[in-house]
Amino acid sequence: MSDQTAKLTIGEETFEFPVLNGTVGPDVIDIRSLYAKTGMFTYDPGFTSTAACDSAITYIDGDKGELLYRGYPIDQLAEKSSFLEVCFLLLYGDLPKKNELADFSNRVTRHTMVHEQMHYFYRGFRRDAHPMAIVTGVVGAMAAFYHDSTDISDPVQREIASIRMIAKIPTIAAMAYKYSVGQPFVYPRNDLDYASNFLHMCFAVPAEEYKIDPVVAKAMDRIFTLHADHEQNASTSTVRLSGSSDANPFACIAAGVACLWGPAHGGANEAALNMLREIGTVDRIPEYIEKAKDKNDPFRLMGFGHRVYKNYDPRAAVMQESAREVLELLGVENNPTLQVAQELEKIALSDPYFVDRKLYPNVDFYSGIILDAIGFPTSMFTAIFALSRTVGWIAQWKEMIGDPQKKIGRPRQLYNGVAARDYTPISER
Ligand code: SDX
């Protein structure tokens, strides 16, 4: 709390509200008493100026293009850490000691299998079902299996549900991929690290040994880290709102998966690669730039722009570097899609329309190029985003449930419908 206050004058009356400040970032005006004092609501569709909670997990400075997980810059974590170490950091607040990481890794590893009955869920889907439709359903169904970790009032159950969710989401996502290509499910292996295990469950087949390329595994691990958490984005806010009703953690994460699927959010990685493929060659870029600028054309540059970043998304910078590394390793460094992406970025960032609106590439602009080069179909891109973001959703959910100030989320509205009127019998209509 600061000694500063915010004054609001309505007509003849002036109301005063406390200003709260955090460690870094914008201060907030505490308007919890606004309705009681003034009989008015604030109006902020899209929550562009609203802090819905206080949190100590992730900090974003959109103007500087800065992203910190528990204070550590994302580029340092992407270069020096590992996804499971980042999971520990996001969940418990500090980087683990060697024995803590080993214990955490072992706990996650030993929960990677799913109940055998869950295999039957997949059989109910069409083979061409979108993996996100499958993942949304199967994650929600976890509540039907893990009754011993759905009581959110019990911190022990909250912890086991968290570990189960983080451990099983790669298995669930890999099974969705295998089902879509008509191959048998591949069980997780306890001798593989998190990223290698996911690659193995996706690309191994019973007919031959699958060799994991360490560079590809590192790129996969880095993609997981870059997508792990991102403050109060749409899907995280969905998880928090779902959790505020004391819904079980699996239902909350399923709600987050559903929200992430939207092309304006996590679905943008799939849409961005499809857009780059549709553009096809560098000479067609100007035509698409004009479409993106045309208010009468619904087309937007997918993977561009961000509600918070009004500078280069720091994750996109790391992702672009990783794309070059992976494509070079795989011998496709002159990948036409990467060439189109880099030329599109260059042209857009010199065009006043994008510069004036501070539209830069975001995390989704380059990620699809790496995932495509590794061998994933575009339909799996958002499922991989959901896999990565599960730890962030869980960390934010745990923080909210553990907050003594927790209340059910219940926004109000500006009503502009019809005022009260009496029912008229059909004979008089
Ligand atoms: C993610 O919130 C998070 O943190 C999300 C995320 C995470 O990690 O959780 O970072 C992940 O969702 C990244 C964003 C992925 N989405 C896309 O790449 C889809 C394309 N981008 C846009 O749809 C858009 O930029 C949003 C949705 C991301 C942000 O939209 P805002 O903040 O509501 O901004 P806006 O739509 O009001 O746009 C401001 C202006 C508008 O023009 P004007 O009305 O001022 O003339 O910029 C224009 C928009 O038309 N604009 C674009 C554009 N994005 C915004 N024009 C063309 N192409 C675009 N991509």
Side-chain angles (χ1 to χ4, degrees):
M1 171 94 84
S2 72
D3 50 13
Q4 207 184 3
T5 61
K7 289 187 175 59
L8 176 65
T9 299
I10 302 173
E12 300 304 311
E13 282 195 273
T14 296
F15 304 90
E16 219 167 337
F17 301 93
V19 169
L20 310 177
N21 37 46
T23 319
V24 285
D27 292 342
V28 299
I29 302 169
D30 181 350
I31 55 160
R32 284 174 286 188
S33 61
L34 176 82
Y35 180 55
K37 284 180 179 172
T38 69
M40 287 189 179
F41 300 137
T42 58
Y43 184 67
D44 186 17
F47 311 122
T48 47
S49 302
T50 295
C53 63
D54 51 298
S55 177
I57 298 173
T58 294
Y59 175 71
I60 301 172
D61 183 322
D63 295 329
K64 285 201 282 186
E66 184 181 48
L67 168 58
L68 309 176
Y69 288 169
R70 300 285 191 178
Y72 293 97
I74 189 68
D75 53 323
Q76 291 183 30
L77 292 170
E79 185 194 337
K80 299 172 181 170
S81 185
S82 69
F83 180 64
L84 267 196
E85 184 174 77
V86 165
C87 287
F88 186 100
L89 173 67
L90 290 170
L91 288 170
Y92 306 115
D94 286 305
L95 289 171
K97 296 179 179 60
K98 200 170 177 180
N99 64 315
E100 290 173 321
L101 181 57
D103 169 61
F104 179 72
S105 176
N106 183 48
R107 282 195 292 150
V108 171
T109 299
R110 308 205 71 75
H111 283 281
T112 47
M113 283 176 68
V114 295
H115 193 292
E116 198 67 6
Q117 284 295 106
M118 294 187 96
H119 289 207
Y120 296 103
F121 284 137
Y122 291 78
R123 307 258 173 265
F125 292 105
R126 286 175 31 161
R127 289 281 180 175
D128 62 353
H130 194 291
M132 283 296 277
I134 296 176
V135 172
T136 306
V138 174
V139 167
M142 287 176 74
F145 289 84
Y146 302 111
H147 302 100
D148 62 341
S149 58
T150 52
D151 174 1
I152 59 107
S153 65
D154 176 353
V156 173
Q157 292 198 30
R158 294 205 296 265
E159 179 65 17
I160 184 68
S162 304
I163 296 295
R164 277 180 168 146
M165 200 62 254
I166 293 163
K168 296 178 194 302
I169 191 72
T171 310
I172 290 167
M175 287 169 72
Y177 171 62
K178 281 309 209 186
Y179 188 71
S180 73
V181 294
Q183 291 181 356
F185 298 138
V186 175
Y187 287 95
R189 277 179 32 185
N190 291 355
D191 62 320
L192 296 177
D193 64 65
Y194 196 88
S196 302
N197 213 354
F198 178 63
L199 290 168
H200 184 261
M201 288 189 284
C202 287
F203 298 123
V205 288
E208 62 185 18
E209 191 196 353
Y210 172 70
K211 287 194 183 350
I212 293 159
D213 185 312
V215 174
V216 171
K218 177 64 191 158
M220 192 80 257
D221 191 85
R222 189 180 293 152
I223 284 177
F224 291 163
T225 292
L226 292 171
H227 289 81
D229 193 47
H230 212 239
E231 201 217 63
Q232 305 311 318
N233 60 84
S235 53
T236 297
S237 299
T238 301
V239 170
R240 279 181 171 261
L241 195 55
S242 306
S244 75
S245 74
D246 293 346
N248 73 73
F250 307 113
C252 297
I253 301 302
V257 175
C259 176
L260 185 77
W261 193 1
H265 189 14
N269 53 16
E270 176 177 356
L273 193 78
N274 291 337
M275 173 193 72
L276 293 170
R277 282 188 176 143
E278 184 186 332
I279 294 173
T281 52
V282 168
D283 62 305
R284 294 185 66 200
I285 290 175
E287 170 197 342
Y288 282 84
I289 292 273
E290 289 317 305
K291 278 170 62 70
K293 291 156 65 173
D294 178 356
K295 285 293 164 229
N296 300 317
D297 189 326
F299 175 80
R300 284 194 161 184
L301 283 190
M302 302 314 281
F304 253 78
H306 199 277
R307 169 62 57 77
V308 175
Y309 288 124
K310 300 310 171 192
N311 199 325
Y312 209 98
D313 183 333
R315 302 167 296 178
V318 178
M319 205 72 84
Q320 183 179 164
E321 192 44 46
S322 200
R324 282 203 200 97
E325 270 177 33
V326 171
L327 293 177
E328 196 175 311
L329 167 93
L330 298 174
V332 285
E333 56 272 27
N334 57 359
N335 174 303
T337 311
L338 178 62
Q339 285 170 354
V340 168
Q342 289 173 320
E343 187 61 20
L344 175 59
E345 173 186 334
K346 200 164 79 179
I347 295 173
L349 295 190
S350 60
D351 183 303
Y353 174 92
F354 296 90
V355 175
D356 296 348
R357 291 168 179 78
K358 298 183 178 178
L359 302 175
Y360 291 85
N362 59 49
V363 68
D364 295 309
F365 190 63
Y366 286 104
S367 56
I369 293 169
I370 304 174
L371 296 172
D372 174 57
I374 292 175
F376 290 104
T378 51
S379 61
M380 271 298 289
F381 290 6
T382 309
I384 290 167
F385 192 153
L387 185 172
S388 315
R389 184 55 56 88
T390 293
V391 63
W393 289 331
I394 284 287
Q396 299 269 354
W397 170 78
K398 284 181 77 176
E399 181 178 67
M400 180 201 67
I401 295 292
D403 182 346
Q405 292 188 82
K406 170 181 165 293
K407 290 171 78 70
I408 189 167
R410 205 308 186 183
R412 301 303 302 273
Q413 64 181 8
L414 173 66
Y415 177 69
N416 53 24
V418 180
R421 55 181 170 170
D422 294 327
Y423 181 84
T424 46
I426 195 161
S427 56
E428 295 171 18
R429 288 176 218 158

